[in-house]
mmCIF file of all heavy atoms in Angstrom:
data_model
loop_
_atom_site.group_PDB
_atom_site.id
_atom_site.type_symbol
_atom_site.label_atom_id
_atom_site.label_comp_id
_atom_site.label_asym_id
_atom_site.label_seq_id
_atom_site.Cartn_x
_atom_site.Cartn_y
_atom_site.Cartn_z
ATOM 1 N N SER A 249 7.261 -29.666 10.144
ATOM 2 C CA SER A 249 5.928 -30.071 10.595
ATOM 3 C C SER A 249 5.985 -31.282 11.528
ATOM 4 O O SER A 249 5.071 -31.486 12.322
ATOM 5 C CB SER A 249 5.033 -30.387 9.382
ATOM 6 O OG SER A 249 5.491 -31.545 8.713
ATOM 7 N N GLU A 250 7.061 -32.067 11.435
ATOM 8 C CA GLU A 250 7.181 -33.252 12.279
ATOM 9 C C GLU A 250 8.072 -33.012 13.496
ATOM 10 O O GLU A 250 8.536 -33.953 14.139
ATOM 11 C CB GLU A 250 7.697 -34.418 11.443
ATOM 12 C CG GLU A 250 6.680 -34.832 10.371
ATOM 13 C CD GLU A 250 7.209 -35.897 9.438
ATOM 14 O OE1 GLU A 250 8.240 -36.512 9.769
ATOM 15 O OE2 GLU A 250 6.594 -36.115 8.381
ATOM 16 N N GLY A 251 8.328 -31.753 13.790
ATOM 17 C CA GLY A 251 9.000 -31.412 15.040
ATOM 18 C C GLY A 251 10.498 -31.414 15.013
ATOM 19 O O GLY A 251 11.131 -31.256 16.065
ATOM 20 N N LEU A 252 11.113 -31.574 13.848
ATOM 21 C CA LEU A 252 12.568 -31.538 13.769
ATOM 22 C C LEU A 252 13.062 -30.090 13.733
ATOM 23 O O LEU A 252 12.431 -29.233 13.094
ATOM 24 C CB LEU A 252 13.057 -32.271 12.520
ATOM 25 C CG LEU A 252 12.736 -33.765 12.420
ATOM 26 C CD1 LEU A 252 13.260 -34.318 11.108
ATOM 27 C CD2 LEU A 252 13.324 -34.529 13.606
ATOM 28 N N LYS A 253 14.171 -29.823 14.401
ATOM 29 C CA LYS A 253 14.803 -28.518 14.268
ATOM 30 C C LYS A 253 15.420 -28.463 12.876
ATOM 31 O O LYS A 253 16.431 -29.110 12.601
ATOM 32 C CB LYS A 253 15.889 -28.320 15.332
ATOM 33 C CG LYS A 253 15.353 -28.089 16.727
ATOM 34 C CD LYS A 253 16.500 -27.808 17.683
ATOM 35 C CE LYS A 253 15.996 -27.572 19.097
ATOM 36 N NZ LYS A 253 17.113 -27.329 20.039
ATOM 37 N N THR A 254 14.780 -27.682 11.999
ATOM 38 C CA THR A 254 15.092 -27.734 10.570
ATOM 39 C C THR A 254 15.660 -26.410 10.098
ATOM 40 O O THR A 254 15.090 -25.345 10.358
ATOM 41 C CB THR A 254 13.823 -28.062 9.764
ATOM 42 O OG1 THR A 254 13.260 -29.283 10.254
ATOM 43 C CG2 THR A 254 14.136 -28.200 8.289
ATOM 44 N N LEU A 255 16.781 -26.487 9.379
ATOM 45 C CA LEU A 255 17.390 -25.315 8.750
ATOM 46 C C LEU A 255 17.547 -25.611 7.266
ATOM 47 O O LEU A 255 17.980 -26.702 6.887
ATOM 48 C CB LEU A 255 18.761 -25.031 9.368
ATOM 49 C CG LEU A 255 19.602 -23.930 8.693
ATOM 50 C CD1 LEU A 255 18.983 -22.562 8.930
ATOM 51 C CD2 LEU A 255 21.049 -23.961 9.210
ATOM 52 N N ILE A 256 17.198 -24.654 6.426
ATOM 53 C CA ILE A 256 17.412 -24.807 4.991
ATOM 54 C C ILE A 256 18.330 -23.678 4.529
ATOM 55 O O ILE A 256 18.147 -22.520 4.911
ATOM 56 C CB ILE A 256 16.085 -24.829 4.200
ATOM 57 C CG1 ILE A 256 16.336 -25.115 2.715
ATOM 58 C CG2 ILE A 256 15.281 -23.572 4.406
ATOM 59 C CD1 ILE A 256 15.077 -25.455 1.938
ATOM 60 N N ILE A 257 19.341 -24.031 3.737
ATOM 61 C CA ILE A 257 20.337 -23.066 3.272
ATOM 62 C C ILE A 257 20.265 -22.994 1.746
ATOM 63 O O ILE A 257 20.328 -24.025 1.064
ATOM 64 C CB ILE A 257 21.761 -23.479 3.708
ATOM 65 C CG1 ILE A 257 21.825 -23.637 5.231
ATOM 66 C CG2 ILE A 257 22.782 -22.446 3.241
ATOM 67 C CD1 ILE A 257 23.150 -24.191 5.734
ATOM 68 N N GLU A 258 20.132 -21.789 1.208
ATOM 69 C CA GLU A 258 20.021 -21.590 -0.238
ATOM 70 C C GLU A 258 21.035 -20.547 -0.680
ATOM 71 O O GLU A 258 21.139 -19.472 -0.083
ATOM 72 C CB GLU A 258 18.604 -21.141 -0.606
ATOM 73 C CG GLU A 258 18.418 -20.672 -2.030
ATOM 74 C CD GLU A 258 18.844 -21.694 -3.078
ATOM 75 O OE1 GLU A 258 18.518 -22.885 -2.918
ATOM 76 O OE2 GLU A 258 19.516 -21.300 -4.047
ATOM 77 N N ARG A 259 21.787 -20.849 -1.729
ATOM 78 C CA ARG A 259 22.835 -19.925 -2.157
ATOM 79 C C ARG A 259 22.343 -18.859 -3.121
ATOM 80 O O ARG A 259 23.006 -17.848 -3.324
ATOM 81 C CB ARG A 259 23.994 -20.695 -2.797
ATOM 82 C CG ARG A 259 23.666 -21.377 -4.098
ATOM 83 C CD ARG A 259 24.897 -22.071 -4.670
ATOM 84 N NE ARG A 259 24.633 -22.740 -5.928
ATOM 85 C CZ ARG A 259 25.553 -23.385 -6.637
ATOM 86 N NH1 ARG A 259 26.805 -23.439 -6.186
ATOM 87 N NH2 ARG A 259 25.239 -23.976 -7.773
ATOM 88 N N GLU A 260 21.195 -19.061 -3.736
ATOM 89 C CA GLU A 260 20.682 -18.071 -4.678
ATOM 90 C C GLU A 260 19.282 -17.631 -4.256
ATOM 91 O O GLU A 260 19.123 -16.831 -3.353
ATOM 92 C CB GLU A 260 20.720 -18.633 -6.107
ATOM 93 C CG GLU A 260 22.157 -18.858 -6.592
ATOM 94 C CD GLU A 260 22.221 -19.396 -8.004
ATOM 95 O OE1 GLU A 260 21.160 -19.654 -8.609
ATOM 96 O OE2 GLU A 260 23.351 -19.578 -8.496
ATOM 97 N N SER A 261 18.248 -18.147 -4.918
ATOM 98 C CA SER A 261 16.878 -17.800 -4.557
ATOM 99 C C SER A 261 16.039 -19.063 -4.540
ATOM 100 O O SER A 261 16.378 -20.056 -5.189
ATOM 101 C CB SER A 261 16.294 -16.780 -5.544
ATOM 102 O OG SER A 261 16.367 -17.258 -6.871
ATOM 103 N N PRO A 262 14.935 -19.074 -3.809
ATOM 104 C CA PRO A 262 14.136 -20.292 -3.663
ATOM 105 C C PRO A 262 13.533 -20.742 -4.988
ATOM 106 O O PRO A 262 13.246 -19.940 -5.860
ATOM 107 C CB PRO A 262 13.046 -19.892 -2.661
ATOM 108 C CG PRO A 262 12.977 -18.408 -2.742
ATOM 109 C CD PRO A 262 14.367 -17.955 -3.046
ATOM 110 N N GLY A 263 13.362 -22.059 -5.103
ATOM 111 C CA GLY A 263 12.737 -22.614 -6.302
ATOM 112 C C GLY A 263 13.687 -23.351 -7.209
ATOM 113 O O GLY A 263 13.268 -24.172 -8.021
ATOM 114 N N GLY A 264 14.986 -23.050 -7.105
ATOM 115 C CA GLY A 264 15.951 -23.718 -7.972
ATOM 116 C C GLY A 264 15.649 -23.476 -9.436
ATOM 117 O O GLY A 264 15.146 -22.420 -9.837
ATOM 118 N N GLN A 265 15.935 -24.475 -10.264
ATOM 119 C CA GLN A 265 15.684 -24.349 -11.690
ATOM 120 C C GLN A 265 14.189 -24.219 -11.970
ATOM 121 O O GLN A 265 13.773 -23.462 -12.846
ATOM 122 C CB GLN A 265 16.266 -25.556 -12.428
ATOM 123 C CG GLN A 265 16.566 -25.283 -13.890
ATOM 124 C CD GLN A 265 17.359 -26.419 -14.521
ATOM 125 O OE1 GLN A 265 17.132 -27.588 -14.232
ATOM 126 N NE2 GLN A 265 18.294 -26.073 -15.372
ATOM 127 N N ALA A 266 13.374 -24.913 -11.183
ATOM 128 C CA ALA A 266 11.921 -24.808 -11.356
ATOM 129 C C ALA A 266 11.439 -23.396 -11.052
ATOM 130 O O ALA A 266 10.460 -22.927 -11.639
ATOM 131 C CB ALA A 266 11.208 -25.809 -10.457
ATOM 132 N N GLY A 267 12.125 -22.703 -10.142
ATOM 133 C CA GLY A 267 11.715 -21.352 -9.774
ATOM 134 C C GLY A 267 11.826 -20.361 -10.904
ATOM 135 O O GLY A 267 11.205 -19.298 -10.866
ATOM 136 N N THR A 268 12.609 -20.667 -11.934
ATOM 137 C CA THR A 268 12.735 -19.759 -13.078
ATOM 138 C C THR A 268 11.676 -20.019 -14.138
ATOM 139 O O THR A 268 11.596 -19.277 -15.113
ATOM 140 C CB THR A 268 14.123 -19.900 -13.738
ATOM 141 O OG1 THR A 268 14.248 -21.200 -14.335
ATOM 142 C CG2 THR A 268 15.229 -19.721 -12.709
ATOM 143 N N SER A 269 10.874 -21.064 -13.970
ATOM 144 C CA SER A 269 9.855 -21.402 -14.975
ATOM 145 C C SER A 269 8.746 -20.361 -14.960
ATOM 146 O O SER A 269 8.201 -20.025 -13.908
ATOM 147 C CB SER A 269 9.263 -22.784 -14.707
ATOM 148 O OG SER A 269 10.242 -23.779 -14.871
ATOM 149 N N SER A 270 8.400 -19.857 -16.126
ATOM 150 C CA SER A 270 7.345 -18.855 -16.215
ATOM 151 C C SER A 270 5.973 -19.453 -15.979
ATOM 152 O O SER A 270 5.065 -18.769 -15.512
ATOM 153 C CB SER A 270 7.386 -18.169 -17.582
ATOM 154 O OG SER A 270 7.324 -19.132 -18.620
ATOM 155 N N ARG A 271 5.811 -20.740 -16.293
ATOM 156 C CA ARG A 271 4.520 -21.394 -16.081
ATOM 157 C C ARG A 271 4.716 -22.891 -15.935
ATOM 158 O O ARG A 271 5.315 -23.537 -16.803
ATOM 159 C CB ARG A 271 3.570 -21.134 -17.259
ATOM 160 C CG ARG A 271 2.096 -21.233 -16.887
ATOM 161 C CD ARG A 271 1.689 -20.036 -16.093
ATOM 162 N NE ARG A 271 0.331 -20.120 -15.572
ATOM 163 C CZ ARG A 271 -0.096 -19.368 -14.584
ATOM 164 N NH1 ARG A 271 0.706 -18.500 -14.008
ATOM 165 N NH2 ARG A 271 -1.331 -19.462 -14.142
ATOM 166 N N ILE A 272 4.217 -23.460 -14.832
ATOM 167 C CA ILE A 272 4.218 -24.907 -14.623
ATOM 168 C C ILE A 272 2.761 -25.351 -14.691
ATOM 169 O O ILE A 272 1.954 -24.963 -13.849
ATOM 170 C CB ILE A 272 4.841 -25.281 -13.263
ATOM 171 C CG1 ILE A 272 6.291 -24.799 -13.196
ATOM 172 C CG2 ILE A 272 4.781 -26.786 -13.046
ATOM 173 C CD1 ILE A 272 6.921 -24.972 -11.828
ATOM 174 N N GLU A 273 2.429 -26.152 -15.673
ATOM 175 C CA GLU A 273 1.020 -26.496 -15.906
ATOM 176 C C GLU A 273 0.701 -27.958 -15.637
ATOM 177 O O GLU A 273 -0.454 -28.358 -15.745
ATOM 178 C CB GLU A 273 0.626 -26.140 -17.339
ATOM 179 C CG GLU A 273 0.725 -24.650 -17.632
ATOM 180 C CD GLU A 273 0.105 -24.280 -18.960
ATOM 181 O OE1 GLU A 273 -1.102 -24.496 -19.127
ATOM 182 O OE2 GLU A 273 0.844 -23.789 -19.835
ATOM 183 N N ASN A 274 1.707 -28.750 -15.275
ATOM 184 C CA ASN A 274 1.445 -30.169 -15.059
ATOM 185 C C ASN A 274 1.711 -30.588 -13.608
ATOM 186 O O ASN A 274 1.986 -31.748 -13.330
ATOM 187 C CB ASN A 274 2.283 -31.030 -16.007
ATOM 188 C CG ASN A 274 3.777 -30.778 -15.871
ATOM 189 O OD1 ASN A 274 4.197 -29.903 -15.127
ATOM 190 N ND2 ASN A 274 4.578 -31.550 -16.596
ATOM 191 N N TYR A 275 1.629 -29.620 -12.670
ATOM 192 C CA TYR A 275 1.805 -29.949 -11.255
ATOM 193 C C TYR A 275 0.440 -30.187 -10.622
ATOM 194 O O TYR A 275 -0.482 -29.385 -10.787
ATOM 195 C CB TYR A 275 2.558 -28.835 -10.526
ATOM 196 C CG TYR A 275 2.928 -29.205 -9.109
ATOM 197 C CD1 TYR A 275 3.797 -30.262 -8.853
ATOM 198 C CD2 TYR A 275 2.412 -28.521 -8.030
ATOM 199 C CE1 TYR A 275 4.146 -30.620 -7.561
ATOM 200 C CE2 TYR A 275 2.747 -28.866 -6.723
ATOM 201 C CZ TYR A 275 3.610 -29.926 -6.502
ATOM 202 O OH TYR A 275 3.948 -30.283 -5.223
ATOM 203 N N LEU A 276 0.332 -31.280 -9.888
ATOM 204 C CA LEU A 276 -0.937 -31.718 -9.323
ATOM 205 C C LEU A 276 -1.591 -30.630 -8.471
ATOM 206 O O LEU A 276 -0.956 -30.029 -7.612
ATOM 207 C CB LEU A 276 -0.711 -32.963 -8.462
ATOM 208 C CG LEU A 276 -1.955 -33.616 -7.851
ATOM 209 C CD1 LEU A 276 -2.833 -34.210 -8.937
ATOM 210 C CD2 LEU A 276 -1.541 -34.685 -6.836
ATOM 211 N N GLY A 277 -2.872 -30.388 -8.727
ATOM 212 C CA GLY A 277 -3.651 -29.480 -7.886
ATOM 213 C C GLY A 277 -3.740 -28.058 -8.385
ATOM 214 O O GLY A 277 -4.413 -27.230 -7.763
ATOM 215 N N PHE A 278 -3.076 -27.733 -9.502
ATOM 216 C CA PHE A 278 -3.126 -26.378 -10.051
ATOM 217 C C PHE A 278 -3.559 -26.455 -11.519
ATOM 218 O O PHE A 278 -2.726 -26.420 -12.428
ATOM 219 C CB PHE A 278 -1.764 -25.686 -9.919
ATOM 220 C CG PHE A 278 -1.358 -25.443 -8.501
ATOM 221 C CD1 PHE A 278 -0.641 -26.396 -7.787
ATOM 222 C CD2 PHE A 278 -1.717 -24.269 -7.854
ATOM 223 C CE1 PHE A 278 -0.271 -26.177 -6.471
ATOM 224 C CE2 PHE A 278 -1.350 -24.047 -6.532
ATOM 225 C CZ PHE A 278 -0.625 -25.002 -5.842
ATOM 226 N N PRO A 279 -4.856 -26.589 -11.762
ATOM 227 C CA PRO A 279 -5.337 -26.831 -13.130
ATOM 228 C C PRO A 279 -5.029 -25.710 -14.107
ATOM 229 O O PRO A 279 -4.909 -25.954 -15.309
ATOM 230 C CB PRO A 279 -6.850 -26.997 -12.951
ATOM 231 C CG PRO A 279 -7.164 -26.355 -11.636
ATOM 232 C CD PRO A 279 -5.965 -26.559 -10.786
ATOM 233 N N THR A 280 -4.894 -24.478 -13.617
ATOM 234 C CA THR A 280 -4.567 -23.371 -14.520
ATOM 235 C C THR A 280 -3.076 -23.056 -14.527
ATOM 236 O O THR A 280 -2.643 -22.120 -15.199
ATOM 237 C CB THR A 280 -5.347 -22.101 -14.126
ATOM 238 O OG1 THR A 280 -5.008 -21.741 -12.787
ATOM 239 C CG2 THR A 280 -6.849 -22.339 -14.221
#
Side-chain angles (χ1 to χ4, degrees):
S249 68
E250 294 174 15
L252 298 178
K253 287 184 180 179
T254 304
L255 173 70
I256 185 167
I257 303 174
E258 170 55 44
R259 67 178 180 178
E260 294 181 357
S261 56
Q265 203 170 38
T268 67
S269 295
S270 54
R271 205 74 186 162
I272 299 173
E273 297 190 61
N274 57 356
Y275 188 63
L276 183 67
F278 294 89
T280 60

